[in-house]
Amino acid sequence: MKLKNKDPQIAKLIELETFRQKTSLEMIPSENHCTPAVQEALGSILTDKYAEGYPGKRYYSGLKYYDILENLCIDRAKKLFKVPHANVQPYSGSPANAAVHLAVCEPGDVTMGMALPMGGHLTHGWKVNFSAKFFKPVQYGVDEKTGLLDYEGMEKLAKEHKPKLIWVGATAYSRIFDWKKLGEIADSVGAYLVADISHISGLVAGGAHPSPVPYVHIISTTTHKTLRGPRGGMIMVTQKGLDKDPDLAKKIDKAIFPGFQGGPHMHQIAAIAVCLKEASTPDFKKYAHQIVKNAKALAEELKKYDFTIVSGGTDNHLLLIDLRNKNISGADAATRLEDAGITVNKNTIPYDPAPPFKPSGIRIGTPAVTTRGMKEKEMKKIAEWYNRVISDAKTVKKVCEEIKKFCKKFPLPK
Ligand code: DSN
């Protein structure tokens, strides 16, 4: 029976959300619009089965097609990211990162990661998270003047604290990571280096951001951001990782199952496989480069309206805007933009004098609008809307109408 007949309330909410997505601009940098092919795999009958274990070594029966499916997904991940080992079972990024801790650390070990208010992630050692409750993280940040990762400070901290594990990866950092330098820092103290490429995995896959593969031991990622798949996660082990620890792949697999998770979500793994196939095409390469071109164009246009971009610009898919010269908080700006039909995050800026719930900045990104086919020309228009809405609340209604009309030319993926 169709959903609208069986559960009209839920069907209605999906219909309303579809309309919202079609008629507004999604500019949260960690979000995207996946294709109907990915959605079809995700919404399939594969959700029905348990598949605890790994291909060829399961604890449930009836899994002959699931072994083929999971192996396909693993092979596609290995080929796309050029790594010798991939685990595609993490439910999402946080479980993946918990499993990495479990694989290579003992409770109480010292770890290192970028602090959340500097652009890092909760699971890289932020105080309220498991990664700080069970381990002893030291946290690095960005330079206050340049907004760039403070490699020197990080090296000093690493030498002083000798972490077992170093996380590199961010949720609000718009510059390229110098993987070589980071690899040298980790090697100098014998630490495992993990690249959490959740935000940039689509850019790495499409060649629009350097790959960490030669320099790190482990890579963790979500699959739904620039990679444009379903919500999900993966952990990969590099050759460098296997050279450091020949058991590393086994340790990662054991940490995911039975260490941290139960049955993998096989419908999710099917959808990840579809997204990895899509991400292997020449079209996706173009897409990944266009995301960056759009972000750079948007940054330049916004600067013309006197917006302050943290670090002065962007090399990837996102921009962090410091709104202090605009006399509006990040929270108020995000609400006003949402009313106008542009979805962004309120966000702390590094060394933010304002509290996290009413921070000084907004975080915006181009992955989803690029999926809809927007290019540099459209970024000019979008920057103009940001300026009008943030400068004057009275423009919101008019801009909202303009955006609705504009969105008709850029349908969601087919
Ligand atoms: N929640 C993600 C983001 O928005 O960046 C990070 O996990």
Side-chain angles (χ1 to χ4, degrees):
M1 190 190 277
K2 286 272 188 207
L3 182 65
K4 69 172 186 231
N5 300 326
K6 193 139 195 169
D7 192 335
Q9 278 172 299
I10 296 297
K12 186 70 193 166
L13 290 170
I14 294 173
E15 189 190 315
L16 288 169
E17 170 60 6
T18 306
F19 181 76
R20 187 194 72 83
Q21 288 194 19
K22 279 184 180 165
T23 54
S24 62
L25 298 173
E26 181 52 71
M27 297 195 76
I28 290 177
S30 50
E31 296 183 8
N32 210 331
H33 302 291
C34 67
T35 62
V38 168
Q39 286 173 20
E40 194 179 328
L42 192 65
S44 69
I45 201 164
L46 301 178
T47 191
D48 290 352
K49 280 295 290 171
Y50 260 115
E52 280 179 21
Y54 287 101
K57 206 169 165 222
R58 305 279 190 190
Y59 292 83
Y60 284 71
S61 302
L63 291 168
K64 59 184 171 191
Y65 303 120
Y66 294 77
D67 280 7
I68 300 170
L69 169 69
E70 188 168 344
N71 277 328
L72 247 178
C73 189
I74 290 169
D75 287 345
R76 287 178 185 177
K78 281 163 52 176
K79 200 162 159 217
L80 184 63
F81 289 98
K82 303 186 179 61
V83 288
H85 183 76
N87 186 308
V88 296
Q89 294 195 2
Y91 301 143
S92 199
S94 294
N97 290 354
V100 171
H101 279 90
L102 191 59
V104 297
C105 292
E106 294 298 326
D109 276 351
V110 175
T111 64
M112 215 171 116
M114 192 193 255
L116 183 74
M118 295 281 165
H121 191 251
L122 275 171
T123 54
H124 300 178
W126 188 237
K127 55 194 171 197
V128 293
N129 188 255
F130 77 87
S131 53
K133 291 196 184 292
F134 300 113
F135 305 94
K136 286 202 196 105
V138 283
Q139 301 258 270
Y140 59 88
V142 297
D143 182 88
E144 190 165 3
K145 270 207 192 100
T146 60
L148 299 177
L149 206 161
D150 176 11
Y151 291 91
E152 220 171 279
M154 188 186 172
E155 184 165 15
K156 233 164 105 190
L157 274 180
K159 295 235 150 85
E160 190 185 334
H161 296 277
K162 303 260 179 318
K164 183 102 170 263
L165 179 67
I166 300 178
W167 289 94
V168 176
T171 61
Y173 185 66
S174 63
R175 295 302 184 173
I176 278 174
F177 290 107
D178 186 341
W179 299 121
K180 186 162 183 283
K181 201 181 282 183
L182 293 160
E184 285 163 6
I185 294 173
D187 292 345
S188 74
V189 295
Y192 286 99
L193 180 60
V194 193
D196 180 343
I197 60 167
S198 293
H199 264 257
I200 55 170
S201 53
L203 305 184
V204 171
H209 186 291
S211 169
V213 166
Y215 307 107
V216 307
H217 305 103
I218 302 169
I219 297 174
S220 73
T221 185
T222 50
T223 49
H224 47 275
K225 299 186 173 89
T226 47
L227 196 58
R228 210 166 60 186
R231 241 142 241 287
M234 301 196 293
I235 306 174
M236 295 173 271
V237 177
T238 64
Q239 190 54 51
K240 182 174 171 178
L242 293 179
D243 292 343
K244 177 176 168 67
D245 178 354
D247 286 333
L248 190 55
K250 265 189 232 139
K251 286 181 185 168
I252 292 288
D253 286 354
K254 264 188 157 167
I256 280 289
F257 176 84
F260 193 70
Q261 295 188 172
H265 295 172
M266 297 310 289
H267 56 307
Q268 184 185 40
I269 290 174
I272 293 172
V274 175
C275 117
L276 292 171
K277 187 171 180 187
E278 289 175 356
S280 310
T281 59
D283 268 357
F284 192 88
K285 249 194 183 114
K286 272 196 226 147
Y287 165 65
H289 283 90
Q290 190 64 47
I291 291 176
V292 178
K293 282 190 211 161
N294 283 353
K296 283 181 186 287
L298 186 58
E300 290 315 307
E301 291 301 323
L302 286 169
K303 279 195 234 171
K304 291 182 193 162
Y305 294 112
D306 201 27
F307 279 98
T308 309
I309 318 287
V310 173
S311 89
T314 181
D315 300 324
N316 60 22
H317 60 302
L318 72 80
L319 283 74
L320 190 57
I321 303 180
D322 177 348
L323 289 169
R324 284 176 298 175
N325 63 333
K326 297 285 182 186
N327 294 318
I328 185 168
S329 72
D332 290 343
T335 304
R336 204 186 281 179
L337 284 162
E338 182 174 349
D339 290 344
I342 304 178
T343 319
V344 304
N345 293 109
K346 64 178 173 193
N347 215 94
T348 49
I349 53 166
Y351 305 94
D352 203 330
F357 220 72
K358 229 172 165 45
S360 303
I362 50 172
R363 183 185 73 149
I364 68 180
T366 53
V369 292
T370 308
T371 290
R372 294 175 77 169
M374 295 174 208
K375 298 219 163 96
E376 289 91 327
K377 188 172 137 226
E378 284 74 36
M379 297 306 117
K380 207 175 158 85
K381 188 76 207 147
I382 290 174
E384 186 203 310
W385 282 322
Y386 273 90
N387 183 49
R388 280 165 62 195
V389 169
I390 287 174
S391 314
D392 181 0
K394 291 197 288 296
T395 61
V396 166
K397 209 166 156 241
K398 174 89 177 41
V399 169
C400 188
E401 281 159 18
E402 288 173 23
I403 288 178
K404 275 205 180 105
K405 208 164 141 208
F406 170 87
C407 282
K408 286 198 180 128
K409 287 188 273 173
F410 299 97
L412 299 182
K414 292 203 178 87

